[in-house]
């Protein structure tokens, strides 16, 4: 099952020897310790441990205190306590302290082995989750969801927490905000990343065909069904089904989808054969599904089945500090795709980008970056949005923020170059960057 060893802590040499032999005969690697202090020292040094089994009554550091110290340094390590002193209050205290299990002597060795294997499964899952979170923290997700605004950093953290689970998720965001990118991140950074990611745009399917798309059909099930076909639910089993524009799904199909998710099984149209499902559903919408449900246009029970977790993607106008970096990124992509030399925008264009309302969000920004890279006329950007209008001081602040952002983009976060261009003291630049929420890391 695992190369992580089982650690056995007991001051009785006979118990250590017999349990070690039994576990090793069960193909479980074992490390034995005659004291809690010795085991704790090894753990603090970073040695690998899959599950720790400890006697409770020992001289020096006893099992309960060992449990507490293990919890402090490695809360994910399962600790099993063994005692020959039948004591219900002690067992309750041990479980309250976070013990994985509590076994009273004498016990059947088979029972211990079974519980150890279950604990090892939990430890392996904990390791896998930590590995995924570490991969996210090391920048893999940062490269997929660009930006350093508070909203996008919060979204990355939420994806990092949800990716390793199999919980259904509803993603809410405006048109062009990147809902499918978020859905793919949930899949690609999860434990089922080697399994299928299947996408279906509910708004692009005719209402009379959506059930066939979801559940599949047998040959002759309806007029035009000239051959059998598996549906999206069956195809995504083991992986992720992404339902975009879920609000467009007809109510009749919603009822059948809800039943399929509740029962974990479907039948193709025209067939009575039961097909088991194991999949995660990620649904995307640009509207408030609960408000839609209140109007009778979406099933509330389906919403709660889908929205185990809900992610909100901030629109581009709420993450203006990311616009310059994103524009440059899209320009570089366009230059590579169309084999054109990269172009750097001037301060006037970057200031205009920072003031635009961006109703099309990232999709609109990418389009503008592509046109700019190809040397085409950039569409007329809209007037400053209402949140940038106001008093003279507010408009001056908005202009100053745009100039600073433009300089940071142009010099790719090189603070000294920005200081030289704008002829600012370093302290003044630091204060203004803090005032406008500009982070150097966003422009590197």
């Amino acid at each position: 099952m695992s190369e992580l060893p089982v650690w056995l802590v007991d001051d009785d040499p006979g118990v250590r020897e017999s349990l070690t032999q039994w576990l090793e005969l069960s193909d479980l690697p074992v490390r034995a310790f005659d004291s809690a202090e010795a085991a704790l020292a090894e753990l603090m040094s970073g040695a690998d441990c899959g599950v720790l089994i400890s006697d409770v009554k020992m001289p020096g550091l006893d099992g309960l205190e060992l449990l507490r110290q293990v919890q402090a340094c490695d809360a994910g390590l399962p600790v099993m306590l063994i005692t020959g002193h039948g004591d219900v209050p002690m067992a309750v205290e041990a479980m309250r302290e976070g013990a994985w299990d509590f076994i009273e002597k004498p016990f059947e060795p088979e029972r211990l082995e079974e519980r150890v294997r279950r604990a090892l499964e939990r430890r392996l899952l904990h390791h896998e989750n930590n590995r995924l979170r570490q991969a996210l923290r090391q920048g893999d997700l940062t490269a997929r969801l660009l930006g350093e605004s508070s909203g996008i950093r919060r979204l990355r953290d939420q994806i990092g927490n949800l990716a390793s689970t199999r919980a259904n998720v509803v993603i809410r965001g405006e048109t062009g905000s990147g809902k499918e990118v978020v859905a793919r991140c949930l899949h690609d950074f999860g434990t089922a990343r080697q399994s299928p990611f299947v996408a279906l745009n509910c708004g692009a399917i005719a209402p009379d065909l959506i059930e066939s798309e979801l559940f599949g059909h047998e040959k002759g099930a309806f007029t035009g069904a000239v051959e059998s076909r598996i549906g999206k639910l069956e195809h995504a089993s083991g992986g992720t089904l992404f339902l975009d524009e879920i609000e467009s799904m007809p109510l009749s199909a919603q009822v059948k989808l809800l039943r399929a998710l509740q029962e974990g099984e479907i039948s193709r149209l025209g067939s009575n054969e039961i097909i088991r499902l194991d999949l995660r559903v990620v649904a995307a919408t640009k509207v408030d599904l609960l408000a839609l449900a209140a109007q009778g246009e979406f099933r509330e029970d389906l919403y709660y089945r889908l929205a185990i977790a809900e992610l909100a993607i901030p629109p581009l106008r709420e993450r203006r500090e990311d616009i310059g970096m994103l524009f440059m990124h899209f320009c570089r992509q366009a230059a590579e795709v169309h084999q054109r030399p990269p172009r750097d925008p001037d301060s006037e264009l970057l200031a205009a980008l920072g003031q635009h309302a961006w109703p099309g969000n990232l999709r609109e920004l990418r389009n503008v970056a592509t046109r700019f890279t190809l040397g085409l006329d950039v569409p007329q950007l809209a007037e400053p949005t209402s949140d940038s209008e106001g008093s003279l001081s507010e408009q001056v602040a908005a202009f100053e923020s745009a100039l600073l952002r433009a300089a940071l983009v142009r010099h790719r976060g090189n603070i000294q170059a920005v200081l030289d261009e704008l002829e600012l003291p370093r302290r003044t630049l630091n204060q203004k960057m803090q005032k406008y929420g500009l982070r150097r890391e966003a422009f590197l």
Side-chain angles (χ1 to χ4, degrees):
M1 175 187 295
S2 167
E3 295 182 356
L4 291 175
V6 177
W7 285 16
L8 179 62
V9 184
D10 200 305
D11 61 315
D12 186 328
V15 172
R16 287 201 310 274
E17 183 178 357
S18 62
L19 285 180
T20 297
Q21 289 178 354
W22 175 264
L23 293 171
E24 288 179 342
L25 286 172
S26 302
D27 294 325
L28 293 170
V30 181
R31 287 192 64 183
F33 299 88
D34 60 5
S35 71
E37 290 85 352
L40 191 61
E42 275 293 284
L43 190 65
M44 297 295 286
S45 72
D48 287 333
C49 178
V51 56
L52 190 150
I53 306 171
S54 175
D55 193 13
V56 171
K57 298 292 186 180
M58 294 184 295
L61 200 67
D62 65 15
L64 285 176
E65 184 56 33
L66 174 61
L67 168 66
R68 295 185 187 103
Q69 296 201 32
V70 167
Q71 288 286 303
C73 68
D74 189 352
L77 175 60
V79 177
M80 301 175 61
L81 296 178
I82 300 175
T83 182
H85 307 274
D87 188 344
V88 173
M90 180 188 295
V92 172
E93 181 183 358
M95 301 305 282
R96 187 182 294 121
E97 292 283 349
W100 167 260
D101 211 341
F102 187 92
I103 302 177
E104 184 180 355
K105 298 176 185 177
F107 54 83
E108 293 294 331
E110 293 85 357
R111 182 182 172 207
L112 175 65
E113 179 194 346
E114 177 188 355
R115 295 189 179 188
V116 167
R117 290 190 181 279
R118 285 207 303 266
L120 281 171
E121 289 176 0
R122 178 195 175 181
R123 181 63 163 171
L124 289 173
L125 179 61
H126 179 79
H127 270 10
E128 175 67 6
N129 289 345
N130 283 344
R131 187 195 66 76
L132 290 171
R133 290 192 180 99
Q134 183 178 10
L136 298 178
R137 285 194 296 268
Q138 288 175 345
D140 293 348
L141 187 55
T142 304
R144 297 278 288 274
L145 289 176
L146 297 174
E148 287 298 323
S149 60
S150 59
I152 207 68
R153 284 188 281 119
R154 180 169 59 251
L155 180 61
R156 284 198 297 261
D157 289 342
Q158 291 171 332
I159 293 172
N161 288 330
L162 288 171
S164 59
T165 75
R166 296 288 285 160
N168 294 336
V169 178
V170 168
I171 302 170
R172 184 175 173 185
E174 296 179 1
T175 298
S177 59
K179 294 186 287 294
E180 184 165 352
V181 172
V182 171
R184 285 190 175 274
C185 286
L186 285 168
H187 176 80
D188 292 346
F189 291 98
T191 54
R193 57 192 174 279
Q194 302 299 329
S195 301
F197 176 91
V198 180
L200 175 66
N201 188 322
C202 302
I205 306 297
D208 57 339
L209 294 179
I210 194 154
E211 289 186 24
S212 174
E213 285 290 327
L214 285 171
F215 301 100
H217 61 259
E218 296 294 340
K219 181 179 179 180
F222 51 85
T223 303
V226 295
E227 60 183 5
S228 297
R229 182 184 178 192
I230 69 170
K232 301 297 187 185
L233 284 160
E234 184 179 349
H235 183 37
S237 191
T240 302
L241 175 64
F242 174 57
L243 297 176
D244 199 5
E245 297 187 36
I246 185 70
E247 70 275 9
S248 302
M249 182 178 290
L251 287 170
S252 58
Q254 291 180 32
V255 174
K256 295 185 177 181
L257 175 61
L258 174 62
R259 180 175 178 82
L261 297 180
Q262 287 175 334
E263 303 296 331
E265 60 185 32
I266 60 166
S267 293
R268 296 179 191 169
L269 300 184
S271 171
N272 293 322
E273 180 185 354
I274 300 297
I275 300 170
R276 299 294 302 172
L277 298 177
D278 173 23
L279 78 165
R280 171 193 231 176
V281 178
V282 178
T285 180
K286 56 180 178 291
V287 302
D288 185 337
L289 292 180
L290 278 179
L292 210 60
Q295 300 168 15
E297 298 178 20
F298 195 84
R299 290 192 63 94
E300 187 175 6
D301 46 5
L302 177 59
Y303 167 79
Y304 287 116
R305 173 64 62 172
L306 294 173
I308 303 301
E310 192 162 359
L311 298 177
I313 304 178
L316 196 53
R317 64 181 176 275
E318 293 181 6
R319 43 183 299 215
R320 294 189 181 278
E321 60 265 49
D322 295 336
I323 291 175
M325 176 189 62
L326 288 166
F327 184 76
M328 295 295 292
H329 171 72
F330 291 146
C331 285
R332 287 193 293 269
Q333 283 188 335
E336 291 177 5
V337 170
H338 300 287
Q339 298 182 346
R340 293 292 182 91
R343 296 181 63 195
D344 288 332
D346 57 25
S347 300
E348 184 178 353
L349 175 57
L350 284 171
L353 294 173
Q355 294 299 305
H356 185 54
W358 299 110
N361 289 289
L362 295 175
R363 190 176 295 137
E364 182 185 2
L365 181 63
R366 183 191 293 273
N367 180 276
V368 172
T370 300
R371 293 179 66 88
F372 173 76
T373 301
L374 295 178
L376 303 175
D377 291 336
V378 174
Q380 182 65 41
L381 299 178
E383 292 298 317
T385 55
S386 60
D387 61 355
S388 65
E389 298 173 348
S391 66
L392 176 62
S393 62
E394 289 172 336
Q395 294 185 56
V396 169
F399 182 68
E400 185 177 57
S401 172
L403 287 179
L404 287 172
R405 186 179 292 110
L408 286 162
V409 168
R410 190 161 45 254
H411 297 294
R412 292 176 170 80
N414 185 323
I415 297 298
Q416 187 58 54
V418 173
L419 293 172
D420 294 341
E421 177 187 334
L422 301 180
E423 299 181 2
L424 287 174
R426 181 176 291 273
R427 182 177 179 183
T428 301
L429 178 61
N430 290 342
Q431 290 173 340
K432 291 185 179 296
M433 288 180 64
Q434 184 175 7
K435 175 182 178 181
Y436 300 122
L438 301 174
R439 293 161 51 90
R440 176 177 176 269
E441 292 82 359
F443 302 94
L444 295 175

